[in-house]
Amino acid sequence: MAENAGKARTVHAATDSRPDESQPASFDFVIVGATGDLTMRKLLPAFYERFRLKQIAADSKIIGVARSDLSTETYRQRAEAALKEFATSAPQDEKAVREFLELVHYVSLDASNTAADWSPLETLLATYAARVRVFYVATAPKLYVATADAIADHSLITDVTRIVLEKPIGTDLASAKAINDGVGRHFNEEQIFRIDHYLGKQTVQNILALRFANPILERVWNADSIAHVQITAAETVGVGKRGPYYDTAGALRDMVQNHLLQVLSLVAMEPPTALSAMDLRDEKLKILRALKPMDTEAIACDTVRAQYTAGEIDGKAVDGYLTDLGADMSNTETFLAIRAEVRTTRWAGVPFYLRTGKRMAHKETEVVIEFRPQPWAIFVDSPEPSRLVLRIQPDEGMSLSLSGKDPLAEGFRLREASLDVSYIKAFGTRYPDSYEDLLMAVVRGDQVLFIRRDEVQASWCWIEPILNGWAENARPMETYPAGSRGPASSDNLLRDDGFVWKEKA
Ligand SMILES: NC(=O)C1=CN([C@@H]2O[C@H](COP(=O)(O)OP(=O)(O)OC[C@H]3O[C@@H](n4cnc5c(N)ncnc54)[C@H](OP(=O)(O)O)[C@@H]3O)[C@@H](O)[C@H]2O)C=CC1
Ligand SMILES: O=C1O[C@H](COP(=O)(O)O)[C@@H](O)[C@H](O)[C@H]1O
C-alpha cells in the first residue's frame, strides 16, 4: 500500500487575508442617487436579502441621498414598493421588510454642492462616528469628483470611510484619469471601490475556482490545447429609458471596457499568488496590458459594429434603436464583435473573440473555450472539437461537449455528447444577485472584487484607439434586425479563422 494511503493530503494554502465574515456588519451606508433606478432595482433589494440572512446588524443605517424633497417616511414607502418588486424573498416576508425599513433613512441634498445644507446628513452620521462609513455614488460620473470634494469639505471622511464609484469611470482615458485624480485627492486607493457588477456574479467568480481549484483544467488552459476563446454577452432588452446615457456610450464603453475585459482577464490571467486584492488585480492588470493594441488595419479587419433596426423578439414586434432613442440618426453601436489577442506565452496565437449586443435573439452570457482538434483522425467522422462552455447567465452552469460512439449507427460513428452541470441543481441554492456580494465586500473593506485604478486605465488604453478608429469610420457601422444574432460580418470574423460562434441550441 502506498505510504500516504488513508492519510489526509497536505494542501499548501496561500494565506487568505480576507476579513472576518462571521459577525453581522454594523455600518453607515450613504447612497447618493437614492431615488434612482440602480438604487431601487439593485442596491436596496441586495441589502434587504443580506439583512434577511442576518449579515447586517439592526443598528446599521442605510441613508438615501438625492435632491428630491422627500421625507424618510415617503422614501421608505418607495423603498418598500421596490423591495416587493425586485427582491425575490420580500413578498413572502412582511416582517423582515418592516424590520429592514427601520434601517433606511432619507436626506434631501445636492451632494455635489458643498454650500448645500449637509447638517441632516452630518447629524445622522455623528451617532456612530467611528464605525464603517460608506458613500456609494450612484449618480452621473460627471458628479463624482464634486461629490468627493463636498464629502471632504464637510470632514466626513474617517479612517474607515470608503467611497464606491459606479461605472462608467470616464468616457475615455483622460476623463477616467480626471475622476481617479479628483476622487484620489481625498480618498486613498484602499478606500476607493470601483464597482463592476460582473465581478459580483457567482459564475464570474467561479472562473477562478474552476481554473485554480481543478488542476485537470489548468493543465490544458493554454495555447497548446485551446484553439480559441469566445466571450459573449447578448441581451434581448433594448436601451429602454437609458437612451440619453447609452447614446453617448455605446456597447464598447458600456459593456466591453469593463465587464467583458474583466471576464477576459479572469480567463487569461496567470494564477495569483494568493486570493488577495493585490495579487488578483496584479494578474488581471498584466492581461489588460498584454492585449495587442488595435491599429487602423486591425480595427477594419478585426472589429464589427452595428445598430439594431426594428424586428421581433419572442414573437413580439420591437422598435429599432433610433425609434427607441427618439432620434433621426445616431452613430452609436448597440452590437459589436472584436477579435482580440493576448500577447503572453500562455496565449500566443489564440484569438479571443468578444461579442455583445442589445436586442439579440436570446439573453445569454457565456465563455466558450474551444479545444484544439485531434491531430490525427482514426474515425470516418471528424470529431467536433471539444468545447467547455461556462454559462455566466441565465441557467448558470457549465458544459463540456465531447465526442462519443453513436450506439445505434452502423459501424463506428461519432456523436456529440455533453457533460452538463447546472450550478443551482449541483449546489442546491439560489443564485444571489451580484450586488449582494459586492455591497457586503465594501462594508468588510475587501477590494478583491473591485477594479483598481491602473486596471481602469489599462482598459481605456486598449479601448480608446478602437473608439477613435470607429469615429474615423475605419470600420463602417452596419445594422441588424432586432431578434437576430447580429450582422453576418460578425460570423465572418470567426469563419475567416475556421471557427463559428456557439449559438443557443
Ligand atoms: N441603472 C442601472 O442599471 C445601472 C446604472 N449604473 C450607473 O449608476 C449610476 C446611477 O444610475 P441610475 O440609477 O440608472 O440613474 P438615475 O438617473 O435613475 O438616478 C440618478 C440618481 O441620482 C440623483 N441625483 C442626481 N444628481 C444628484 C445630486 N447632485 N445630488 C444627489 N443626488 C443626485 C437622482 O435623484 P434627484 O434627481 O432627486 O437628485 C437619482 O436618484 C450611473 O452612473 C449609471 O451609469 C451602472 C450600471 C447599471
Ligand atoms: O452595466 C451594464 O450591464 C447591463 C447588463 O448586465 P447583466 O448583469 O444583465 O448582464 C447592461 O444592460 C447595461 O447596458 C450596462 O450598463
Short mmCIF file of all heavy atoms in Angstrom, two decimals, residues 87-135:
data_model
loop_
_atom_site.label_atom_id
_atom_site.label_comp_id
_atom_site.label_asym_id
_atom_site.label_seq_id
_atom_site.Cartn_x
_atom_site.Cartn_y
_atom_site.Cartn_z
N ALA A 87 -36.96 42.38 -4.91
CA ALA A 87 -36.25 41.44 -4.02
C ALA A 87 -37.03 40.14 -4.02
O ALA A 87 -38.20 40.12 -3.65
CB ALA A 87 -36.16 42.01 -2.61
N THR A 88 -36.37 39.06 -4.41
CA THR A 88 -37.10 37.81 -4.61
C THR A 88 -37.85 37.36 -3.35
O THR A 88 -38.97 36.88 -3.44
CB THR A 88 -36.14 36.68 -5.04
OG1 THR A 88 -34.82 37.07 -4.70
CG2 THR A 88 -36.26 36.37 -6.50
N SER A 89 -37.25 37.54 -2.17
CA SER A 89 -37.90 36.97 -0.99
C SER A 89 -38.80 37.97 -0.26
O SER A 89 -39.47 37.60 0.69
CB SER A 89 -36.84 36.44 -0.03
OG SER A 89 -36.00 37.49 0.35
N ALA A 90 -38.85 39.25 -0.70
CA ALA A 90 -39.61 40.25 0.05
C ALA A 90 -41.11 40.00 0.10
O ALA A 90 -41.72 40.12 1.16
CB ALA A 90 -39.33 41.64 -0.50
N PRO A 91 -41.75 39.61 -1.03
CA PRO A 91 -43.20 39.47 -0.96
C PRO A 91 -43.65 38.44 0.08
O PRO A 91 -44.75 38.52 0.61
CB PRO A 91 -43.58 39.01 -2.37
CG PRO A 91 -42.46 39.44 -3.23
CD PRO A 91 -41.23 39.38 -2.37
N GLN A 92 -42.78 37.48 0.41
CA GLN A 92 -43.21 36.45 1.36
C GLN A 92 -42.87 36.79 2.81
O GLN A 92 -43.16 36.03 3.71
CB GLN A 92 -42.54 35.10 1.06
CG GLN A 92 -42.73 34.58 -0.34
CD GLN A 92 -41.55 34.94 -1.21
OE1 GLN A 92 -40.42 34.85 -0.78
NE2 GLN A 92 -41.82 35.39 -2.43
N ASP A 93 -42.21 37.88 3.08
CA ASP A 93 -41.75 38.12 4.44
C ASP A 93 -41.95 39.58 4.86
O ASP A 93 -41.02 40.37 4.96
CB ASP A 93 -40.26 37.73 4.53
CG ASP A 93 -39.83 37.48 5.96
OD1 ASP A 93 -40.55 37.94 6.88
OD2 ASP A 93 -38.79 36.84 6.16
N GLU A 94 -43.21 39.92 5.15
CA GLU A 94 -43.58 41.30 5.53
C GLU A 94 -42.77 41.77 6.75
O GLU A 94 -42.35 42.91 6.84
CB GLU A 94 -45.07 41.35 5.91
CG GLU A 94 -46.02 41.09 4.76
CD GLU A 94 -46.31 42.36 3.97
OE1 GLU A 94 -45.89 43.44 4.41
OE2 GLU A 94 -46.95 42.25 2.90
N LYS A 95 -42.57 40.84 7.70
CA LYS A 95 -41.90 41.22 8.95
C LYS A 95 -40.47 41.66 8.68
O LYS A 95 -40.00 42.69 9.14
CB LYS A 95 -41.93 40.02 9.90
CG LYS A 95 -41.31 40.28 11.25
CD LYS A 95 -41.66 39.15 12.22
CE LYS A 95 -40.87 39.26 13.51
NZ LYS A 95 -39.51 38.75 13.41
N ALA A 96 -39.78 40.86 7.86
CA ALA A 96 -38.39 41.21 7.54
C ALA A 96 -38.34 42.54 6.79
O ALA A 96 -37.45 43.36 7.03
CB ALA A 96 -37.75 40.10 6.70
N VAL A 97 -39.32 42.77 5.92
CA VAL A 97 -39.34 44.04 5.17
C VAL A 97 -39.49 45.19 6.16
O VAL A 97 -38.76 46.19 6.11
CB VAL A 97 -40.48 44.05 4.12
CG1 VAL A 97 -40.65 45.44 3.51
CG2 VAL A 97 -40.20 43.03 3.03
N ARG A 98 -40.44 45.06 7.10
CA ARG A 98 -40.67 46.13 8.10
C ARG A 98 -39.41 46.38 8.90
O ARG A 98 -38.99 47.51 9.10
CB ARG A 98 -41.81 45.73 9.04
CG ARG A 98 -43.18 46.19 8.58
CD ARG A 98 -44.20 46.19 9.72
NE ARG A 98 -44.13 45.04 10.60
CZ ARG A 98 -44.70 43.85 10.36
NH1 ARG A 98 -45.40 43.67 9.26
NH2 ARG A 98 -44.59 42.86 11.22
N GLU A 99 -38.77 45.32 9.36
CA GLU A 99 -37.56 45.48 10.18
C GLU A 99 -36.43 46.12 9.37
O GLU A 99 -35.71 46.98 9.86
CB GLU A 99 -37.10 44.12 10.72
CG GLU A 99 -38.01 43.63 11.83
CD GLU A 99 -37.73 42.18 12.23
OE1 GLU A 99 -36.83 41.54 11.63
OE2 GLU A 99 -38.44 41.71 13.13
N PHE A 100 -36.33 45.70 8.11
CA PHE A 100 -35.29 46.27 7.26
C PHE A 100 -35.51 47.76 7.05
O PHE A 100 -34.57 48.57 7.11
CB PHE A 100 -35.25 45.53 5.91
CG PHE A 100 -34.31 46.17 4.92
CD1 PHE A 100 -32.93 46.05 5.07
CD2 PHE A 100 -34.80 46.92 3.85
CE1 PHE A 100 -32.06 46.66 4.16
CE2 PHE A 100 -33.93 47.53 2.94
CZ PHE A 100 -32.56 47.39 3.10
N LEU A 101 -36.77 48.15 6.82
CA LEU A 101 -37.04 49.57 6.52
C LEU A 101 -36.69 50.48 7.69
O LEU A 101 -36.44 51.67 7.51
CB LEU A 101 -38.51 49.74 6.10
CG LEU A 101 -38.83 49.14 4.72
CD1 LEU A 101 -40.34 49.19 4.45
CD2 LEU A 101 -38.08 49.86 3.60
N GLU A 102 -36.64 49.92 8.91
CA GLU A 102 -36.20 50.71 10.07
C GLU A 102 -34.77 51.22 9.90
O GLU A 102 -34.37 52.22 10.47
CB GLU A 102 -36.24 49.85 11.35
CG GLU A 102 -37.63 49.47 11.80
CD GLU A 102 -38.39 50.68 12.33
OE1 GLU A 102 -37.84 51.39 13.18
OE2 GLU A 102 -39.53 50.92 11.85
N LEU A 103 -33.99 50.50 9.09
CA LEU A 103 -32.58 50.89 8.88
C LEU A 103 -32.46 52.04 7.88
O LEU A 103 -31.42 52.68 7.77
CB LEU A 103 -31.78 49.71 8.29
CG LEU A 103 -31.16 48.66 9.19
CD1 LEU A 103 -32.15 48.04 10.12
CD2 LEU A 103 -30.50 47.57 8.33
N VAL A 104 -33.55 52.25 7.12
CA VAL A 104 -33.47 53.17 5.97
C VAL A 104 -33.85 54.60 6.37
O VAL A 104 -34.87 54.82 7.03
CB VAL A 104 -34.39 52.66 4.84
CG1 VAL A 104 -34.41 53.63 3.67
CG2 VAL A 104 -33.95 51.27 4.37
N HIS A 105 -33.02 55.56 5.97
CA HIS A 105 -33.28 56.98 6.24
C HIS A 105 -33.14 57.73 4.92
O HIS A 105 -32.55 57.23 3.96
CB HIS A 105 -32.25 57.53 7.24
CG HIS A 105 -32.23 56.78 8.52
ND1 HIS A 105 -32.84 57.23 9.67
CD2 HIS A 105 -31.70 55.57 8.84
CE1 HIS A 105 -32.68 56.33 10.62
NE2 HIS A 105 -31.99 55.31 10.14
N TYR A 106 -33.65 58.95 4.89
CA TYR A 106 -33.52 59.74 3.65
C TYR A 106 -33.14 61.18 3.98
O TYR A 106 -33.66 61.78 4.94
CB TYR A 106 -34.84 59.74 2.87
CG TYR A 106 -34.73 60.53 1.58
CD1 TYR A 106 -34.14 59.97 0.45
CD2 TYR A 106 -35.19 61.85 1.50
CE1 TYR A 106 -34.01 60.69 -0.73
CE2 TYR A 106 -35.07 62.59 0.32
CZ TYR A 106 -34.48 62.01 -0.79
OH TYR A 106 -34.34 62.72 -1.95
N VAL A 107 -32.22 61.71 3.20
CA VAL A 107 -31.81 63.11 3.35
C VAL A 107 -31.88 63.76 1.97
O VAL A 107 -31.30 63.24 1.01
CB VAL A 107 -30.36 63.20 3.89
CG1 VAL A 107 -29.85 64.63 3.84
CG2 VAL A 107 -30.27 62.65 5.30
N SER A 108 -32.57 64.87 1.90
CA SER A 108 -32.65 65.61 0.64
C SER A 108 -31.44 66.54 0.56
O SER A 108 -31.26 67.41 1.42
CB SER A 108 -33.97 66.40 0.61
OG SER A 108 -33.89 67.35 -0.40
N LEU A 109 -30.61 66.34 -0.47
CA LEU A 109 -29.34 67.09 -0.53
C LEU A 109 -28.77 67.03 -1.94
O LEU A 109 -28.77 65.98 -2.57
CB LEU A 109 -28.35 66.42 0.45
CG LEU A 109 -26.90 66.84 0.43
CD1 LEU A 109 -26.74 68.28 0.96
CD2 LEU A 109 -26.04 65.90 1.28
N ASP A 110 -28.26 68.17 -2.41
CA ASP A 110 -27.46 68.16 -3.65
C ASP A 110 -26.03 67.83 -3.22
O ASP A 110 -25.30 68.69 -2.73
CB ASP A 110 -27.53 69.53 -4.33
CG ASP A 110 -26.67 69.56 -5.58
OD1 ASP A 110 -25.85 68.65 -5.77
OD2 ASP A 110 -26.82 70.51 -6.38
N ALA A 111 -25.66 66.56 -3.39
CA ALA A 111 -24.39 66.09 -2.83
C ALA A 111 -23.18 66.59 -3.59
O ALA A 111 -22.04 66.40 -3.16
CB ALA A 111 -24.39 64.56 -2.80
N SER A 112 -23.39 67.23 -4.73
CA SER A 112 -22.23 67.76 -5.45
C SER A 112 -21.98 69.22 -5.07
O SER A 112 -21.11 69.87 -5.62
CB SER A 112 -22.45 67.64 -6.95
OG SER A 112 -23.57 68.42 -7.33
N ASN A 113 -22.76 69.72 -4.11
CA ASN A 113 -22.68 71.13 -3.75
C ASN A 113 -22.26 71.28 -2.28
O ASN A 113 -23.05 71.01 -1.37
CB ASN A 113 -24.05 71.78 -4.00
CG ASN A 113 -24.06 73.25 -3.65
OD1 ASN A 113 -23.01 73.83 -3.32
ND2 ASN A 113 -25.23 73.86 -3.71
N THR A 114 -21.04 71.73 -2.08
CA THR A 114 -20.55 71.92 -0.72
C THR A 114 -21.40 72.92 0.06
O THR A 114 -21.59 72.79 1.27
CB THR A 114 -19.09 72.45 -0.77
OG1 THR A 114 -18.30 71.43 -1.37
CG2 THR A 114 -18.54 72.75 0.59
N ALA A 115 -21.91 73.93 -0.65
CA ALA A 115 -22.63 75.01 0.02
C ALA A 115 -24.06 74.61 0.44
O ALA A 115 -24.73 75.36 1.15
CB ALA A 115 -22.69 76.22 -0.90
N ALA A 116 -24.51 73.42 0.00
CA ALA A 116 -25.87 72.98 0.40
C ALA A 116 -25.87 72.67 1.90
O ALA A 116 -24.83 72.66 2.56
CB ALA A 116 -26.24 71.74 -0.41
N ASP A 117 -27.07 72.40 2.43
CA ASP A 117 -27.17 72.13 3.87
C ASP A 117 -26.89 70.64 4.14
O ASP A 117 -27.75 69.79 3.95
CB ASP A 117 -28.58 72.50 4.35
CG ASP A 117 -28.73 72.23 5.85
OD1 ASP A 117 -27.70 71.95 6.51
OD2 ASP A 117 -29.88 72.28 6.34
N TRP A 118 -25.68 70.35 4.59
CA TRP A 118 -25.27 68.97 4.86
C TRP A 118 -25.59 68.54 6.29
O TRP A 118 -25.29 67.42 6.69
CB TRP A 118 -23.76 68.80 4.59
CG TRP A 118 -23.43 68.70 3.13
CD1 TRP A 118 -23.59 69.68 2.19
CD2 TRP A 118 -22.90 67.56 2.45
NE1 TRP A 118 -23.19 69.22 0.95
CE2 TRP A 118 -22.76 67.91 1.09
CE3 TRP A 118 -22.53 66.28 2.84
CZ2 TRP A 118 -22.26 67.03 0.13
CZ3 TRP A 118 -22.04 65.39 1.90
CH2 TRP A 118 -21.92 65.77 0.54
N SER A 119 -26.16 69.48 7.11
CA SER A 119 -26.27 69.16 8.54
C SER A 119 -27.16 67.94 8.84
O SER A 119 -26.81 67.15 9.73
CB SER A 119 -26.70 70.39 9.34
OG SER A 119 -27.92 70.86 8.84
N PRO A 120 -28.29 67.71 8.11
CA PRO A 120 -29.06 66.50 8.45
C PRO A 120 -28.24 65.21 8.25
O PRO A 120 -28.33 64.29 9.06
CB PRO A 120 -30.24 66.55 7.47
CG PRO A 120 -30.36 67.99 7.08
CD PRO A 120 -28.97 68.53 7.10
N LEU A 121 -27.41 65.20 7.21
CA LEU A 121 -26.58 64.01 6.98
C LEU A 121 -25.50 63.92 8.06
O LEU A 121 -25.25 62.84 8.63
CB LEU A 121 -25.94 64.08 5.59
CG LEU A 121 -25.05 62.90 5.22
CD1 LEU A 121 -25.82 61.58 5.26
CD2 LEU A 121 -24.43 63.09 3.83
N GLU A 122 -24.89 65.06 8.38
CA GLU A 122 -23.84 65.06 9.42
C GLU A 122 -24.40 64.55 10.74
O GLU A 122 -23.77 63.76 11.44
CB GLU A 122 -23.29 66.49 9.59
CG GLU A 122 -22.42 66.90 8.41
CD GLU A 122 -22.16 68.41 8.35
OE1 GLU A 122 -22.84 69.18 9.07
OE2 GLU A 122 -21.29 68.81 7.57
N THR A 123 -25.63 64.95 11.06
CA THR A 123 -26.24 64.53 12.33
C THR A 123 -26.44 63.01 12.34
O THR A 123 -26.12 62.33 13.32
CB THR A 123 -27.61 65.23 12.52
OG1 THR A 123 -27.38 66.63 12.40
CG2 THR A 123 -28.23 64.91 13.86
N LEU A 124 -26.95 62.47 11.22
CA LEU A 124 -27.18 61.02 11.17
C LEU A 124 -25.86 60.25 11.33
O LEU A 124 -25.82 59.20 11.97
CB LEU A 124 -27.84 60.63 9.84
CG LEU A 124 -29.35 60.80 9.76
CD1 LEU A 124 -29.82 60.58 8.32
CD2 LEU A 124 -30.06 59.82 10.69
N LEU A 125 -24.81 60.78 10.74
CA LEU A 125 -23.52 60.07 10.78
C LEU A 125 -22.81 60.24 12.13
O LEU A 125 -21.94 59.43 12.47
CB LEU A 125 -22.61 60.55 9.65
CG LEU A 125 -23.07 60.20 8.24
CD1 LEU A 125 -22.16 60.82 7.18
CD2 LEU A 125 -23.09 58.68 8.05
N ALA A 126 -23.20 61.27 12.88
CA ALA A 126 -22.48 61.56 14.13
C ALA A 126 -22.74 60.51 15.22
O ALA A 126 -21.92 60.31 16.12
CB ALA A 126 -22.88 62.94 14.65
N THR A 127 -23.87 59.77 15.11
CA THR A 127 -24.22 58.82 16.19
C THR A 127 -23.10 57.79 16.40
O THR A 127 -22.74 57.48 17.52
CB THR A 127 -25.53 58.06 15.82
OG1 THR A 127 -26.41 58.98 15.23
CG2 THR A 127 -26.14 57.40 17.03
N TYR A 128 -22.59 57.24 15.31
CA TYR A 128 -21.50 56.24 15.44
C TYR A 128 -20.33 56.72 14.59
O TYR A 128 -20.06 56.16 13.54
CB TYR A 128 -21.95 54.87 14.93
CG TYR A 128 -23.12 54.28 15.67
CD1 TYR A 128 -24.41 54.35 15.14
CD2 TYR A 128 -22.94 53.62 16.90
CE1 TYR A 128 -25.49 53.80 15.80
CE2 TYR A 128 -24.03 53.07 17.57
CZ TYR A 128 -25.30 53.16 17.02
OH TYR A 128 -26.36 52.62 17.68
N ALA A 129 -19.68 57.74 15.07
CA ALA A 129 -18.67 58.41 14.22
C ALA A 129 -17.50 57.48 13.87
O ALA A 129 -16.82 57.69 12.86
CB ALA A 129 -18.17 59.66 14.92
N ALA A 130 -17.28 56.43 14.71
CA ALA A 130 -16.06 55.63 14.49
C ALA A 130 -16.31 54.38 13.65
O ALA A 130 -15.38 53.64 13.34
CB ALA A 130 -15.48 55.24 15.85
N ARG A 131 -17.55 54.11 13.29
CA ARG A 131 -17.77 52.83 12.60
C ARG A 131 -17.65 52.97 11.07
O ARG A 131 -17.59 54.08 10.54
CB ARG A 131 -19.10 52.21 13.00
CG ARG A 131 -20.31 52.85 12.41
CD ARG A 131 -21.56 52.06 12.81
NE ARG A 131 -22.78 52.72 12.40
CZ ARG A 131 -23.98 52.28 12.75
NH1 ARG A 131 -24.12 51.22 13.52
NH2 ARG A 131 -25.06 52.92 12.34
N VAL A 132 -17.67 51.82 10.41
CA VAL A 132 -17.50 51.81 8.95
C VAL A 132 -18.54 52.72 8.30
O VAL A 132 -19.74 52.66 8.60
CB VAL A 132 -17.64 50.37 8.41
CG1 VAL A 132 -17.81 50.38 6.89
CG2 VAL A 132 -16.44 49.53 8.82
N ARG A 133 -18.04 53.56 7.41
CA ARG A 133 -18.91 54.53 6.72
C ARG A 133 -18.65 54.40 5.22
O ARG A 133 -17.49 54.38 4.80
CB ARG A 133 -18.53 55.91 7.22
CG ARG A 133 -19.32 57.02 6.64
CD ARG A 133 -18.87 58.35 7.20
NE ARG A 133 -19.19 58.51 8.62
CZ ARG A 133 -18.80 59.55 9.35
NH1 ARG A 133 -18.07 60.51 8.81
NH2 ARG A 133 -19.12 59.62 10.63
N VAL A 134 -19.72 54.31 4.46
CA VAL A 134 -19.55 54.15 3.00
C VAL A 134 -20.37 55.21 2.28
O VAL A 134 -21.53 55.47 2.65
CB VAL A 134 -20.02 52.75 2.53
CG1 VAL A 134 -19.86 52.61 1.02
CG2 VAL A 134 -19.26 51.64 3.26
N PHE A 135 -19.78 55.83 1.27
CA PHE A 135 -20.52 56.70 0.36
C PHE A 135 -20.58 55.99 -0.98
O PHE A 135 -19.53 55.79 -1.61
CB PHE A 135 -19.84 58.06 0.19
CG PHE A 135 -19.90 58.90 1.43
CD1 PHE A 135 -18.87 58.87 2.36
CD2 PHE A 135 -20.99 59.72 1.68
CE1 PHE A 135 -18.93 59.62 3.52
CE2 PHE A 135 -21.06 60.49 2.84
CZ PHE A 135 -20.03 60.44 3.76
#
